[in-house]
Amino acid sequence: MRKAGTKQQLGDFQTPESLAKKIIKLLKIQYRILPDVILEPTCGTGAFIRAALEEFSPVRMIGFDINENHIKTAQKSIQSHPHLENITIKQADFFTTDWQNILANISGYLLILGNPPWVTSSELSLLNSQNLPIKSNFHHRRGIEAITGLANFDISEWMVLQYLEWLSHRTGTTALLCKYSVARKILLQIQKKFPHTFSRTIYLIDAKYYFNVSVKACLFILSTDGEKSRDCPVYSDLDEPMLCSVIGERDGFMVRDTIRYEQGRHFLGQDTRYIWRSGIKHDCSKVMELKQISSHWFINGLGEKYQLEKDYLYPLLKGSDIGNGRVNQYQKLLLVTQKWVGEDTRMIQDKAPKTWQYLRDHESFFKKRKSSIYNNKPPYSIFGVGNYCFNGWKIAISGLYKKLNFYLVFPLNDQPAMFDDTVNFLSFETEAEARAIFDLITSDPVLEWLDSMIFWDEKRPITVNLLKRLSLDNTNPTLPPP
Ligand SMILES: C[S@@+](CC[C@H](N)C(=O)[O-])C[C@H]1O[C@@H](n2cnc3c(N)ncnc32)[C@H](O)[C@@H]1O
């Protein structure tokens, strides 16, 4: 048995009794589930076990959790149950449990319940925690990527994919609480691995109220019963469920509103002339971002004043500027040390000796940059830079703001504006081209179509990956005229 970790490492948020009861009632009354066996692989202090025993007893009940104290609490809470012989509650680590053996001894309709840990693999790796799938070769990531398609994943995502593997060979249902974003990732995986095996439903829940966490969460029900549509209805809540939208996989991505997506699907396409990019990444804002205080004097984020050449300084618009529509003026300049990724920076020494000296004076700040992308690169390297940055005309949108507002960005002070890496943009050599594409992108049908794909609860709802699905070929007859 591996050592149990802290509440954080175990993604430990115990479900309130009232919520567990509500969910079990829904499964019994609405879904008419009559399980032979109930399994809760991460049962905690047992809220679901108690609620399920109340509605489904006599039933065979199996509950595990890594945390010994939780298990003791759960065991104690059911010790006077009349069918104790049907109940097994014991300490077990999900990742080292012999599930094949356990499942081989389970027959009949299986209900897998619960609220698996709310923690991601990268949070665990920061905590140096071992609460991860053992055979996954986690640090080399290949094993995980093969299963989830991603380097960072939620532990619950891993667990639920296991539940589905088990259920794919029998009849049963899983009903679990998880982040809404995790449910979407699982839906994508289901589409790849078990496209015709499970019906799918989501009920949003108020995670602030039940768990005091600010994250969009849901009850996710997957069942071998019911209609096996590739789409998943999302209901507003458990008490008075109203259909909010039907989400589903389309063209390899999850979309937020499959009906509106289909209506605008003719906008899908790529055009190699215009490529969405993210702004410049440098991880050294105190040094690289400066305010101009007089013709040749600048002040950096450390409060130091320097006289610099203007050759490498460009107007900077940050994500917050773009998000708030501040595109006609700028507060700061960005020191853009390269024209393309990997360009030799030594030429700055001859062309702009004061700038070179300034960079050398702040060598230690560059050395402290943690990201490995700067390893073995010329000194003072930046990322997300290319010839496209130096085009004067741009269309920009903030990736972090929860609104679909695109802005035309003109040259500022006769110089191309630069963006930080939270901004997505297109760039153009001419104003006419920029305006034509801007009109296309901001037409109502296109905005409507883009909106149908966006999950606004994402940390970064608008990505290059999303924007590039839109065809920018303005000769396409299905697009609105420029
Ligand atoms: C979000 S809590 C939910 C607990 C319980 N299912 C409930 O609904 O109240 C997650 C639970 O997962 C347990 N857990 C975390 N890692 C585990 C592992 N590797 N094996 C088994 N249980 C684990 C934690 O101890 C915690 O009780």
Side-chain angles (χ1 to χ4, degrees), residues 47 102 129-130 149 184 205 238 251 275 344 351 427 440 456:
I102 290 167
S129 168
Q130 295 303 308
R184 297 197 297 265
I205 60 152
L238 286 168
D251 302 303
I275 299 174
D344 192 352
K351 209 171 161 195
S427 75
L440 186 157
W456 291 105

Side-chain angles (χ1 to χ4, degrees), residues 83-310:
H83 298 286
L84 211 48
E85 70 285 0
N86 292 337
I87 306 170
T88 309
I89 297 178
K90 63 172 198 177
Q91 186 192 22
D93 176 352
F94 186 91
F95 299 118
T96 54
T97 297
D98 181 356
W99 288 110
Q100 288 320 317
N101 186 29
I102 290 167
L103 291 159
N105 290 306
I106 288 178
S107 58
Y109 195 99
L110 174 62
L111 172 61
I112 307 176
L113 281 178
N115 178 357
W118 296 32
V119 66
T120 64
S121 57
S122 62
E123 282 160 359
L124 286 174
S125 114
L126 284 177
L127 295 166
N128 228 350
S129 168
Q130 295 303 308
N131 194 21
L132 287 160
I134 267 179
K135 288 187 197 139
S136 66
N137 188 13
F138 172 65
H139 292 291
H140 298 105
R141 299 221 157 123
R142 292 245 163 77
I144 298 288
E145 279 174 48
I147 289 173
T148 64
L150 286 173
N152 185 24
F153 66 100
D154 276 78
I155 300 305
S156 56
E157 185 183 344
W158 168 280
M159 290 181 174
V160 177
L161 288 172
Q162 299 291 304
Y163 301 175
L164 296 178
E165 185 64 47
W166 306 337
L167 288 174
S168 66
H169 308 294
R170 54 178 75 231
T171 54
T173 294
T174 178
L176 54 113
L177 294 168
C178 63
K179 294 183 212 160
Y180 182 36
S181 59
V182 170
R184 297 197 297 265
K185 286 187 199 153
I186 293 169
L187 282 171
L188 260 188
Q189 296 290 329
I190 294 178
Q191 209 42 41
K192 284 190 203 144
K193 297 193 169 91
F194 322 99
H196 310 295
T197 316
F198 298 104
S199 61
R200 309 139 206 212
T201 317
I202 284 175
Y203 296 85
L204 298 175
I205 60 152
D206 184 345
K208 188 80 198 149
Y209 175 75
Y210 287 116
F211 297 100
N212 199 22
V213 288
S214 299
V215 62
K216 204 160 180 179
C218 66
L219 168 68
F220 192 19
I221 302 180
L222 296 154
S223 179
T224 59
D225 307 335
E227 196 199 332
K228 318 292 187 318
S229 158
R230 66 175 163 160
D231 292 339
C232 179
V234 179
Y235 292 96
S236 54
D237 63 72
L238 286 168
D239 297 315
E240 286 175 36
M242 302 243 298
L243 184 64
C244 305
S245 75
V246 177
I247 66 172
E249 184 272 339
R250 290 294 183 280
D251 302 303
F253 300 97
M254 282 305 292
V255 306
R256 186 172 58 88
D257 186 331
T258 51
I259 297 161
R260 282 198 299 144
Y261 178 85
E262 297 285 0
Q263 283 163 356
R265 192 168 176 273
H266 49 279
F267 296 135
L268 181 70
Q270 282 187 6
D271 186 289
T272 46
R273 283 173 305 166
Y274 307 115
I275 299 174
W276 286 99
R277 315 274 187 175
S278 314
I280 292 176
K281 180 173 170 63
H282 49 75
D283 292 306
C284 205
S285 55
K286 287 209 158 49
V287 178
M288 298 293 256
E289 295 174 11
L290 300 112
K291 274 190 181 160
Q292 187 160 11
I293 43 177
S294 66
S295 165
H296 279 87
W297 282 88
F298 301 88
I299 182 164
N300 66 15
L302 303 160
E304 300 165 338
K305 291 177 188 158
Y306 270 82
Q307 197 181 14
L308 300 173
E309 301 85 354
K310 291 193 182 151

Side-chain angles (χ1 to χ4, degrees), residues 10-11 13-15 40 42-44 65-66 70 92-94 115 131:
L10 300 177
F13 295 92
Q14 300 296 312
T15 309
E40 192 179 0
T42 60
C43 68
D65 199 280
I66 198 169
H70 286 350
D93 176 352
F94 186 91
N115 178 357
N131 194 21

Side-chain angles (χ1 to χ4, degrees), residues 365-397:
F365 288 86
F366 291 95
K367 289 216 163 110
K368 270 190 260 166
R369 298 190 290 184
K370 288 202 185 80
S371 172
S372 60
I373 59 172
Y374 303 108
N375 294 350
N376 306 317
K377 291 284 181 310
Y380 325 121
S381 274
I382 56 180
F383 266 81
V385 67
N387 285 336
Y388 53 86
C389 293
F390 300 89
N391 287 335
W393 294 85
K394 289 170 176 147
I395 296 172
I397 184 163

